[in-house]
Each structure stands twice: as C-alpha cells, then as structure tokens.
Amino acid sequence: MKANILKDEKGIALVVAILLLLVVTLIGISGVNLATFDNMIAGNKRASDQAFYVAEAGIHELIGRFRTSATYPISDNNPTSPDWKLLLLKTGGQGATKVGTIVPSPSQTVPSLQNQLDFGVVVEHITEGGIVKTVNNFPLYKVTSYGYTDDGGHKVIETELRKGPSFGPDTALYSEAVIKLSGTLYISGKDGCPNPANKPGVITTQPLTKDLEQSIKKGDIVGIPQHAIVNSPDLYNIRAIADELRGYADVVYTNVDKVTGNKINNDPNKVANWGNPTPVGDKKAMQFDSTAKPPMNIVYFDMKNTKDNLLMMQDVKGQGILIVDGDLKATGGFHWYGIIIVTGHVEFLGQGGKGKNITGGVFAGQETQIKEEVVVGGGIQIIYCNQAISRANLATPFRMSRWKEKF
C-alpha cells in the first residue's frame, strides 16, 4: 500500500509550475523595484549634479564681476572690516532665502545678472585674530555658494578666492633688449605717486650702452637705489605674462580688422580711448581718472602675424594694462596710466614737440624675429608709480585657490 502511494506522482507538474511562476514573479518584482530605485538614484544624482553646477555658476559670476573692469562690477566696500559680508543671489529664489537666514544684516547685497539659475552666494573676509588676512595686498575671501534646482537638488560649495601675483616691473623701464636713447627724455624710478616705493629708473639684461651712460650723467634717468641696473638676470617671463593676461582682456584686437580688412595699426580711428589720465606738469606723474567707465582696462593687441608695428598716435590715452604681442610705436601725445607690456620692439618717438607720459611701468621684451632695440626719445616721460601698477592689477580677476563640496 505504501509503495503505491510513493509511486503516485499525479499533479507534480502543476506544483513545479506554480513554484517556477512564483520565482519568476519574485524576480520580476525585484527587477521592477531595482529599476525604480535606479531611476530614483539617477534622478537624485541628476538633481544633485545640476545643483552643483548652479552653485558653481554663482561662484563664476562672482569671479567674473569681482574686478574694476567688469561690465557690472562687484566691489568690496570695506576691505579692512572683519565683519564685512556680501550676498550675490537670484532675487526671490531658494538661494536668496537660504543666505538671508544665515547672514545677519546689514550686508552688501548684489542681485544676479540672470534669473534662471537659483543660487545664493555668501562672500566674507578670511580673518585671523580679528584681522583680515591679505595676499599681495588684497584680502582673502571665503565664498560659500548654495545651489538649488526645481526638483529638490541642493548643493553647497565653499571656496577660497585670492588675487594672483601682481604684474608690474620693479622699475620704470624693464628691457630684455638693447636700449637706444636720444632726444629729450626723462625716466624716473623715484615713485611719482603717493606712498612711494622707489625703484631704479631702468633695468636691462643687456650691457651698458653709451646712450644709457650719457642719459644717466645728464640726469635724464634717475632712480633709487641706482639710476640703472644693467646686465641684470632675466627677471620676468614677458611671454608668459602676456599669454596669461590675454585671457582676462576686456578688449582684444587682432592685427587685421575683421569687418574692414584694414590693418589696425594703419587706422588710428580703430584704437579706442581707454580712460583719460591727466598730466599734472613737467616731469611729474599723471593723475588717475576716477570718472572713467570702467576705470581700468586690460587691452590686448595681437600683432604676432604681421611685420608691422602697432602705431598709436593722435593723443591715444588709457589706463590699466596694455599688452602688445609684437611691436609698438607710440608717437604724438601717447598717455598711459598703469602697465605696458610689449613682447617685441618698442619705440616712443616725439612728434611736433608733444611729450608722451607713462605713469606706472613698462615691460619691453624681444623674440627672435623681432628687432632688438628699445628706442626712447623725443620728449618721453616714464615715471614709476607703485599706485598706478596696483590699480592696474585691480582689473585682473580673483582666482580660486582651493574649494570643497560641503553638502
């Protein structure tokens, strides 16, 4: 009897089928749950990434506007205060609400230039012992950016901003080429601006020339501690300076106008006025034009692909940093307040008795295909001014020195 029961296997296929169907159902449910979780994870990751980029956009808007030459500049209205704070935000957004609850009033508030990205940026001085920390005479800043998205994404990024190395020669005229001098000139390293920081009149990597020696004897070149330093080591990489500053230029000119096809150096009308520094007398520094909009400019001329030099004439004026990637020839009332950087051949020539005035400092370099001489004459005045160099460097933006994702 027992043997018959054990041999009876009717209905086993149905049981196995039900078991298999149950297993498949469980696998299917697990797959659906897994896909749902994957979609949720992907959605959260997407929202998180978007919020990160929104917060990052807030930092980049701050950097782009945190300089005097920006179209809509942001400035530090109290650089020595340890309690100073600035808010950059989209008006009415979640970021504005967030920073409004964590930053006490009063604070300097600046609206964002856009209304699509929802961020709130808090800028504050980094302090030590209740004193604002500085690098290169500029405050260090802690920047916290809160980014939000419509689908719930939220990211917080914290970064440190600082000014990079200040650009400017430690002399009125720095040259990596032979200097030829003639006519009426005056080159002074004795700081012509307030808060003097006296320097040599000329520093050159080349040997002393008769022109240079005679100008020193006549008192046309003066400076402290020496009138001129010759056979100096190569102190600056002028090519690297020009290349770095080009990326920050407010105005970039190529050697050929894209619209007319005319060479810029043959058309003085193509050269704009970049501020109006005012001469204040013979053998004196020019005054800074505080009414200029913007007050300081970074102007870059690309003359690398032409044998012609950039000709500046008809009382061209400006203030900030002038970069000429190639050769420069300035005649007839050229005035500049700040820094001039020329990678190639430089000529400052008189015209009709008009004096040229440069307050700040000049870099003059050379490349193998460029003429070797730096020629100065005809009533030029180059006067070192530490204040003009410092103001010119205000046109360069801050850089992120370090950052971290806080949330």
Side-chain angles (χ1 to χ4, degrees):
M1 185 70 176
K2 292 181 179 180
N4 290 334
I5 293 174
L6 291 175
K7 290 181 180 180
D8 188 359
E9 297 180 354
K10 292 180 179 179
I12 192 64
L14 178 60
V15 173
V16 171
I18 292 173
L19 290 175
L20 289 175
L21 182 60
L22 178 61
V23 170
V24 171
T25 301
L26 292 176
I27 293 175
I29 293 173
S30 176
V32 170
N33 288 336
L34 184 60
T36 301
F37 289 141
D38 283 345
N39 287 335
M40 293 176 60
I41 293 172
N44 291 337
K45 179 68 165 57
R46 182 176 63 256
S48 177
D49 288 346
Q50 288 176 345
F52 175 87
Y53 293 128
V54 169
E56 192 176 44
I59 294 174
H60 285 293
E61 179 175 342
L62 172 70
I63 293 174
R65 297 174 61 187
F66 208 21
R67 56 191 183 122
T68 60
S69 58
T71 305
Y72 297 96
I74 294 173
S75 61
D76 182 348
N77 61 10
N78 200 348
T80 61
S81 170
D83 300 320
W84 173 87
K85 287 182 175 61
L86 179 142
L87 311 181
L88 170 66
L89 40 84
K90 172 191 172 185
T91 304
Q94 296 182 77
T97 302
K98 177 63 177 178
V99 301
T101 61
I102 64 174
V103 179
S105 296
S107 297
Q108 184 179 346
T109 303
V110 179
S112 172
L113 298 178
Q114 54 77 48
N115 58 11
Q116 300 297 317
L117 302 179
D118 189 356
F119 56 72
V121 181
V122 182
V123 189
E124 53 194 314
H125 293 145
I126 296 176
T127 61
E128 185 174 17
I131 299 174
V132 177
K133 294 181 67 175
T134 61
V135 174
N136 299 315
N137 297 319
F138 292 97
L140 277 173
Y141 296 93
K142 183 178 79 171
V143 179
T144 308
S145 183
Y146 300 81
Y148 293 87
T149 63
D150 292 337
D151 51 359
H154 174 209
K155 277 292 179 181
V156 182
I157 300 175
E158 182 179 288
T159 184
E160 178 183 281
L161 293 187
R162 65 173 64 195
K163 276 281 191 180
S166 296
F167 296 99
D170 286 331
T171 178
L173 173 62
Y174 171 80
S175 173
E176 295 180 353
V178 174
I179 300 176
K180 289 187 176 182
L181 303 171
S182 63
T184 304
L185 60 96
Y186 182 69
I187 302 175
S188 175
K190 295 180 180 180
D191 200 319
C193 298
N195 304 316
N198 295 320
K199 304 293 181 181
V202 170
I203 296 179
T204 176
T205 60
Q206 302 300 316
L208 180 68
T209 63
K210 290 183 179 180
D211 292 341
L212 196 58
E213 187 175 18
Q214 290 175 358
S215 295
I216 294 172
K217 288 181 179 179
K218 290 191 301 181
D220 292 341
I221 298 177
V222 296
I224 299 174
Q226 295 171 266
H227 303 309
I229 298 177
V230 297
N231 279 328
S232 170
D234 191 350
L235 300 178
Y236 305 99
N237 187 336
I238 295 177
R239 160 55 54 202
I241 293 174
D243 288 343
E244 179 170 357
L245 287 176
R246 178 181 183 175
Y248 304 132
D250 307 291
V251 185
V252 177
Y253 296 89
T254 59
N255 60 317
V256 176
D257 186 84
K258 293 181 180 179
V259 178
T260 65
N262 295 328
K263 293 180 179 178
I264 288 176
N265 59 307
N266 290 334
D267 187 355
N269 295 321
K270 294 295 180 183
V271 180
N273 188 318
W274 307 287
N276 186 28
T278 307
V280 292
D282 185 45
K283 296 187 178 181
K284 291 184 178 179
M286 287 182 292
Q287 292 179 333
F288 168 67
D289 177 18
S290 60
T291 65
K293 303 292 183 183
M296 286 292 182
N297 298 271
I298 301 179
V299 182
Y300 178 89
F301 282 90
D302 185 356
M303 305 298 294
K304 295 192 299 294
N305 298 321
T306 177
K307 295 180 180 180
D308 299 318
N309 49 30
L310 174 66
L311 179 59
M312 289 194 168
M313 55 188 299
Q314 295 184 354
D315 296 322
V316 173
K317 300 176 182 180
Q319 53 190 26
I321 303 177
L322 172 64
I323 309 156
V324 180
D325 204 342
D327 296 353
L328 170 65
K329 184 175 182 179
T331 69
F334 172 67
H335 295 85
W336 194 268
Y337 180 95
I339 304 168
I340 297 177
I341 302 168
V342 183
T343 63
H345 172 61
V346 181
E347 289 185 77
F348 295 117
L349 301 176
Q351 187 179 58
K354 294 182 178 181
K356 276 72 57 195
N357 296 275
I358 300 169
T359 297
V362 179
F363 286 107
Q366 68 175 29
E367 296 177 340
T368 55
Q369 74 272 26
I370 302 297
K371 299 175 184 179
E372 294 182 347
E373 303 85 18
V374 173
V375 180
V376 179
I380 184 153
Q381 298 175 2
I382 305 176
I383 300 177
Y384 177 81
C385 176
N386 183 59
Q387 185 183 79
I389 291 172
S390 297
R391 277 181 167 153
N393 278 290
L394 289 174
T396 62
F398 282 82
R399 301 168 175 84
M400 286 189 287
S401 55
R402 57 186 177 184
W403 73 275
K404 63 181 179 180
E405 186 177 329
K406 292 188 66 176
F407 176 79

